[in-house]
Amino acid sequence: SSVPRITIDESLAASPDGLHIRLNDHWIAQERRHRHFRIPHAIAFARANGMDRMVIDSPAARFGIAARGKAYATLRQAMAEAGITDAMAREAGLRLWKVGLAWPLDAEAARDFAQGLDEVLVIEDRRPVLEPQLREALYALDARPRIAGKTTPDGAPLLSDLGELDAGAILRAFATRLPPALRTPLLAERIAALDVLAAQAAPPLHSRDPYFCPGCPHNTSTKLPEGSRALAGIGCHFLASRMDRDTELFTQMGGEGAPWLGMAPFVEEQHVFANMGDGTYAHSGSLAIRAAIASGENITFKILINGAVAMTGGQATEADTSVPRIAAQLRAEGVSRIAIVSDDPERHRGNPMIPAGVTFDDRADLDAVQRELRATPGVTALLYDQECATERRRHRKRGTAPAAGKRVVINPRVCEDCGDCSRVSNCLAVEPVETEFGRKRQIDQSACNQDFSCLGGFCPSFVTLEGAEPAMPGLPTPGGALPEPAPPALRDGAWNILLAGVGGQGVTALSAILAEAAHLEGRPVRSIDQLGLAQKGGGVYAQIRLGEAGAAPDSLRGPRIGQGQADLLIAADMVVAHGASARPLLSAGRSVAVLNCAIAPTAQFVRDTTTRYDAAGMQASLAAATRELVAMDATKRVLGDLGDAIFVNVFLLGVAFQRGLVPLSAASIERALELNGTAVARNKAAFADGRAAALETPVEAAAPKTLDALIAHRAADLTAYQSARYAARYTGFLDGLRGHASEAVLRAAAHQLHRLMAYKDEYEVARLHADPAWQASLDARFTGTRRRVLHLAPPMLGGVDAEGRPRKRAFGPWMLRAMGLLRHGKVLRCSWADPFGRTDERRAERALPGEFEAGLAGLIALRPDEAALLAWIEAWGGIRGYGPVKAARLEAARSRIAALERAMREAKAA
């Protein structure tokens, strides 16, 4: 029977008082019962129920393989890749033992397995568990086999103990350890292919590291006051240790702060912060706080209360971790100073459970609160209360939470691409966008979780739309019936699909949909998903192997795709697709990639907002690694047709299916989408839209503007900015450079001079916000807008924020009407009557175009190296932003401009 049997092996010595647990038992009796009776009976139980199996045996076996756990499936997959059948293995004298009970090892079964063998190869993931037990079990034998595993019998490295084994690693071990009869030509061929792939490997041009979700409370909560340091722990907040936030070290749950308790007496620093999530607090973190109180050291525990175990999927916490209850527990433990910081500090005020003396502060005052706690001796606590952004978004989608009350948008013409909004928000939903006036910023409405911290960026380009939701287009319908494509022919009874994307895009959901569609067709399917710490913003992969319809379930030996053996790559993200985890699975003779070539920002972009992505290089990398590359801007298409980028993966599946790259029927895929039960109509429409896109003739990209068209376009904008006379100055200067500079220099100069001349003073910001085309675009993109609010920092109103910068304020629709009038004040620009023109900022802006013109003309006369001259022109692009942001950028840019100019003059003199 397959049902485990409870058996008592009569040959074993019986425990005099049974095997059960009993009260008031002496510890020596417990130890004796456990070691001398219960463990032997556990081994007997495993033996009686066939947990350890001799999968392959041979009457003349001389070589044995022992494998356990998931590594067994990888081993079987490696054998299949090497062309080693069970019959071949028996004939060559191979014995294969699958160990089901890895500890304690059945020593008797191990000796039976090893009888007559010359060598045993142990296959197991990570650190050795089976191997040392096997050595111990076989030590008493007169004739012992050699044992290889993590090392060869001579001690040389063989199989890594640092991670999971893949089929490639096992194949290489085969090449040196298997009997000659099993070193097949196919094994040699696979090793050669692996060598070629290894030689072709190149570091990725860009990487996509896990990062905080857009709107994550930890974007703000993990910030520290200048001069402080924090300790990391287990939770999404651990990712702060990968950021420039002075967060270091980490411990197990319940060990938060322990490194500080040990080092504090020996270092000059007097205080440290320790991050802890509410889930960890419920699990064992409260014990860490108790230990810190006992130590008497100066430490502030920042307990980040987001209402979910977000790191592993948003489960509910194990206990009541509400703010009032934690505050009461901390006070009872002896924490005298407790501060509650929240995006809505009033929601807990007056709760009777909260102890006296607890303060309530807005998250905008986090820095000041932390400074005060840092100066307080002993153990203090900061309860940072803000709901997990991803969970809030899920609740809104499911209708279990109110819809967002407003949306944030950026006016791209007002935006200067200074990156201050990304700096203050640390948010991936603030992303770059290329426009005809250069790179700007936009809010990815598909990713935004309405945290609104980006509004703190010192920039007047932000507009909030109260009551608005993105306009959802009607469902697209293909023009006519879509033909069913011929399915692909499977290789060796399997079709290998690799999915690559960003955490939160639905990669693992698509994997489940494909597996369900295969199940509906009676196909064996094996899959494996890569999951990990806060993969939102990080690369996520799924591997799916589909078998022949009607084939036996075990016809697919393992779930992993071998190196170079992916038949299809569906990539919603190009950065992830060309990375180190995906590219080795591709091969130029076998793989086809269906690629979304739109690039979402990475963590690197948030850390360094000047980051530029080498899209052409990444596409070239994938083209070299595949036999065919199908690339398109799927994000743009899906947003236009379906209104939400979450459907990109299903859209790309439709493209791949229609090109005959998916061995499933459309009916099965559509039924699987129905069974998934999420946004069924739009997911089915996305699949159909992808199929239709695969049949369309690709539209060639528009050619870039000619130089004359570029200059004319910028001149027209300067006319609207000021006057035709002002624009004539621009065109006249550039015309004077013709014949003295290359087109590349003229293009760069045209762009930078326009930027410097069209500096964004009060009149220009008013003109761009009041622009009817911008207002119409908001009407087209959003529905339900009740009110439009601008976020500005007029200097005449005074006041400063936590960073000492002019305080931004919200202004209702009346400000937009006022801007419609203010824009006409441009006639005062640069005149004695300009009320805004007397500030240092405006004086500097008026002088910059003349400085640029004089400097460029002088350098061109030197005939410098073109690359150096272009670098000088580009350095002027560093002057961007508003107010204090622009002042800091101007100072840095002047230093770089002077250094480049000095280098060119010195090169000319030499």
Side-chain angles (χ1 to χ4, degrees):
S1 170
S2 60
V3 179
R5 299 167 299 178
I6 304 300
T7 63
I8 300 297
D9 191 330
E10 299 298 334
S11 67
L12 296 176
S15 174
D17 51 1
L19 301 174
H20 58 282
I21 298 172
R22 73 284 324 277
L23 298 176
N24 303 317
D25 200 6
H26 193 276
W27 52 88
I28 295 296
Q30 291 180 36
E31 184 78 3
R32 180 187 302 112
R33 187 180 306 109
H34 178 68
R35 293 170 59 83
H36 295 175
F37 299 101
R38 298 181 73 185
I39 286 180
H41 277 282
I43 294 172
F45 174 83
R47 187 183 304 130
N49 288 282
M51 290 187 180
D52 301 335
R53 294 189 295 115
M54 198 72 71
V55 180
I56 300 174
D57 201 359
S58 171
R62 308 301 299 173
F63 188 89
I65 299 178
R68 67 174 178 91
K70 183 175 59 59
Y72 172 77
T74 309
L75 164 68
R76 296 295 274 168
Q77 186 173 343
M79 292 175 67
E81 290 185 26
I84 301 172
T85 65
D86 290 2
M88 288 174 57
R90 291 189 190 94
E91 186 175 346
L94 184 142
R95 183 179 292 158
L96 173 57
W97 188 36
K98 183 180 186 299
V99 180
L101 182 63
W103 192 95
L105 180 67
D106 185 343
E108 181 181 335
R111 287 189 283 270
D112 289 342
F113 158 70
Q115 192 67 41
L117 299 180
D118 295 326
E119 183 171 327
V120 172
L121 176 62
V122 182
I123 308 290
E124 53 187 334
D125 287 319
R126 304 184 69 86
R127 69 181 182 91
V129 172
L130 183 59
E131 189 175 342
Q133 294 183 86
L134 191 60
R135 293 182 191 278
E136 181 180 357
L138 304 185
Y139 185 77
L141 295 180
D142 293 332
R144 296 188 298 273
R146 300 182 301 274
I147 296 179
K150 299 307 175 185
T151 64
T152 67
D154 299 326
L158 185 60
L159 293 168
S160 174
D161 62 350
L162 299 179
E164 297 176 312
L165 296 177
D166 60 15
I170 295 175
L171 288 168
R172 292 190 183 280
F174 279 179
T176 60
R177 310 310 306 176
L178 280 184
L182 292 178
R183 298 181 194 176
T184 63
L186 190 55
L187 172 60
E189 183 180 319
R190 280 294 293 145
I191 295 292
L194 293 174
D195 289 341
V196 170
L197 289 171
Q200 293 174 345
L205 298 172
H206 305 283
S207 63
R208 189 172 293 286
D209 300 324
Y211 213 69
F212 293 146
C213 302
C216 176
H218 301 330
N219 279 324
T220 299
S221 70
T222 56
K223 291 180 178 179
L224 295 171
E226 186 176 356
S228 281
R229 195 186 306 266
L231 304 177
I234 304 302
C236 294
H237 55 82
F238 167 79
L239 294 175
S241 65
R242 308 274 184 92
M243 304 171 192
D244 185 19
R245 295 204 164 182
D246 294 311
T247 300
E248 298 151 348
L249 307 176
F250 70 95
T251 63
Q252 81 287 355
M253 285 186 174
E256 287 78 10
W260 174 248
L261 305 186
M263 72 173 71
F266 308 102
V267 297
E268 294 182 359
E269 291 186 48
Q270 298 298 308
H271 174 274
V272 76
F273 290 91
N275 293 324
M276 179 189 297
D278 49 358
T280 293
Y281 176 87
H283 178 273
S284 54
S286 59
L287 303 179
I289 298 174
R290 186 178 299 170
I293 293 170
S295 76
E297 298 297 344
N298 299 329
I299 182 171
T300 297
F301 285 93
K302 294 171 68 175
I303 304 177
L304 314 177
I305 303 170
N306 61 10
V309 185
M311 179 180 70
T312 54
Q315 301 89 344
T317 54
E318 296 174 340
D320 181 357
T321 54
S322 63
V323 169
R325 182 170 292 275
I326 293 178
Q329 290 173 346
L330 292 176
R331 176 60 55 80
E333 289 286 359
V335 180
S336 59
R337 180 66 180 94
I338 303 170
I340 297 173
V341 177
S342 173
D343 55 347
D344 178 15
E346 297 303 313
R347 64 171 163 251
H348 298 299
R349 194 183 296 273
N351 189 297
M353 187 177 286
I354 295 180
V358 173
T359 58
F360 303 85
D361 298 277
D362 190 275
R363 64 179 183 176
D365 300 318
L366 175 65
D367 187 77
V369 173
Q370 290 186 106
R371 289 176 184 273
E372 191 262 323
L373 293 175
R374 181 176 65 182
T376 303
V379 176
T380 57
L382 189 157
L383 309 186
Y384 189 94
D385 175 34
Q386 185 179 337
E387 184 183 8
C388 170
T390 297
E391 287 307 297
R392 181 173 65 234
R393 184 176 183 82
R394 287 172 179 158
H395 292 320
R396 286 170 176 165
K397 283 189 172 183
R398 295 167 183 167
T400 56
K406 57 186 177 182
R407 292 277 176 169
V408 179
V409 293
I410 295 174
N411 186 331
R413 286 300 314 275
V414 180
C415 172
E416 284 275 283
D417 191 37
C418 68
D420 196 53
C421 53
S422 292
R423 182 189 66 82
V424 300
S425 68
N426 201 45
C427 184
L428 285 168
V430 182
E431 61 181 20
V433 58
E434 296 298 333
T435 75
E436 58 184 352
F437 288 96
R439 191 168 80 168
K440 307 291 186 177
R441 299 294 165 101
Q442 68 180 4
I443 304 297
D444 180 357
Q445 299 296 334
S446 295
C448 177
N449 284 314
Q450 290 77 51
D451 171 67
F452 307 124
S453 57
C454 55
L455 295 176
F458 195 81
C459 170
S461 67
F462 285 86
V463 180
T464 49
L465 308 177
E466 296 183 357
E469 284 295 326
M472 296 296 284
L475 296 180
T477 54
L482 295 167
E484 189 89 3
L490 275 59
R491 291 173 180 253
D492 301 321
W495 187 259
N496 301 326
I497 301 176
L498 173 64
L499 307 179
V502 180
Q505 281 186 339
V507 173
T508 57
L510 182 59
S511 172
I513 288 165
L514 286 170
E516 178 62 28
H519 172 71
L520 292 172
E521 294 188 4
R523 293 177 181 272
V525 58
R526 302 289 298 272
S527 66
I528 186 167
D529 301 331
Q530 180 237 338
L531 301 172
L533 173 67
Q535 285 298 140
K536 179 65 179 179
V540 174
Y541 305 90
Q543 300 181 27
I544 309 106
R545 306 189 70 224
L546 306 176
E548 297 280 5
D554 61 354
S555 62
L556 299 176
R557 293 295 191 179
R560 292 190 178 275
I561 298 172
Q563 293 184 40
Q565 294 187 329
D567 296 296
L568 170 64
L569 165 65
I570 297 178
D573 184 80
M574 183 158 54
V575 176
V576 177
H578 97 293
S581 295
R583 201 175 182 279
L585 305 185
L586 307 175
S587 66
R590 178 169 182 166
S591 308
V592 177
V594 177
L595 173 70
N596 176 21
C597 59
I599 302 177
T602 65
Q604 177 61 29
F605 174 78
V606 179
R607 290 190 291 261
D608 178 7
T609 56
T610 65
T611 298
R612 297 278 175 172
Y613 298 102
D614 185 359
M618 287 188 285
Q619 283 201 46
S621 171
L622 287 168
T626 57
R627 65 180 174 88
E628 183 181 3
L629 175 64
V630 181
M632 63 181 66
D633 189 339
T635 298
K636 182 178 180 179
R637 169 84 177 235
V638 168
L639 285 175
D641 290 353
L642 293 148
D644 195 325
I646 195 66
F647 301 107
V648 163
N649 271 303
V650 178
F651 172 85
L652 293 173
L653 173 63
V655 175
F657 172 82
Q658 197 60 41
R659 295 181 69 91
L661 298 170
V662 180
L664 299 167
S665 69
S668 297
I669 293 173
E670 290 171 351
R671 179 56 182 155
L673 291 170
E674 293 170 356
L675 293 172
N676 181 55
T678 302
V680 173
R682 289 204 173 265
N683 270 308
K684 291 175 72 173
F687 179 62
D689 199 30
R691 295 182 63 187
L695 298 172
E696 295 170 3
T697 303
V699 178
E700 293 187 8
K705 281 186 172 74
T706 64
L707 175 61
D708 289 341
L710 173 66
I711 293 174
H713 177 265
R714 297 297 195 271
D717 186 67
L718 288 172
T719 300
Y721 174 86
Q722 183 66 36
S723 64
R725 180 180 178 182
Y726 194 63
R729 170 187 168 183
Y730 171 80
T731 56
F733 174 75
L734 293 172
D735 286 342
L737 296 183
R738 293 179 187 268
H740 303 285
S742 68
E743 180 171 332
V745 169
L746 286 170
R747 280 183 174 275
H751 177 66
Q752 294 300 344
L753 181 57
H754 170 267
R755 283 187 63 258
L756 297 172
M757 292 181 69
Y759 59 88
K760 296 187 176 71
D761 57 8
E762 288 77 3
Y763 309 118
E764 179 65 355
V765 169
R767 179 179 80 90
L768 297 176
H769 271 312
D771 182 6
W774 162 243
Q775 297 297 325
S777 74
L778 295 179
D779 290 335
R781 291 163 51 202
F782 296 90
T783 61
T785 304
R786 297 190 306 270
R787 195 164 175 264
R788 294 177 183 174
V789 177
L790 301 178
H791 299 265
L792 311 170
M796 68 285 296
L797 295 183
V800 295
D801 62 15
E803 296 187 49
R805 307 187 304 185
R807 184 180 296 279
K808 291 182 71 176
R809 293 173 168 84
F811 297 89
W814 70 268
M815 177 59 78
L816 192 58
R817 292 191 292 272
M819 284 188 165
L821 299 174
L822 181 61
R823 65 193 176 102
H824 298 297
K826 68 178 184 178
V827 296
L828 303 176
R829 185 182 283 132
C830 300
S831 74
W832 64 268
D834 183 357
F836 306 110
R838 296 181 178 86
T839 65
D840 291 340
E841 181 179 356
R842 295 291 174 258
R843 293 176 188 276
E845 287 171 333
R846 287 197 300 269
L848 286 174
E851 292 179 23
F852 176 81
E853 291 169 339
L856 181 58
L859 290 175
I860 287 177
L862 296 176
R863 298 187 178 279
D865 175 73
E866 184 176 280
L869 185 57
L870 287 170
W872 182 89
I873 296 172
E874 184 63 29
W876 287 83
I879 305 171
R880 57 182 70 233
Y882 292 86
V885 174
K886 190 167 192 175
R889 291 292 190 92
L890 176 59
E891 183 178 353
R894 284 196 187 282
S895 297
R896 175 161 173 75
I897 290 166
L900 290 167
E901 185 172 335
R902 186 165 54 250
M904 282 186 280
R905 294 189 183 281
E906 289 173 355
K908 182 65 176 179

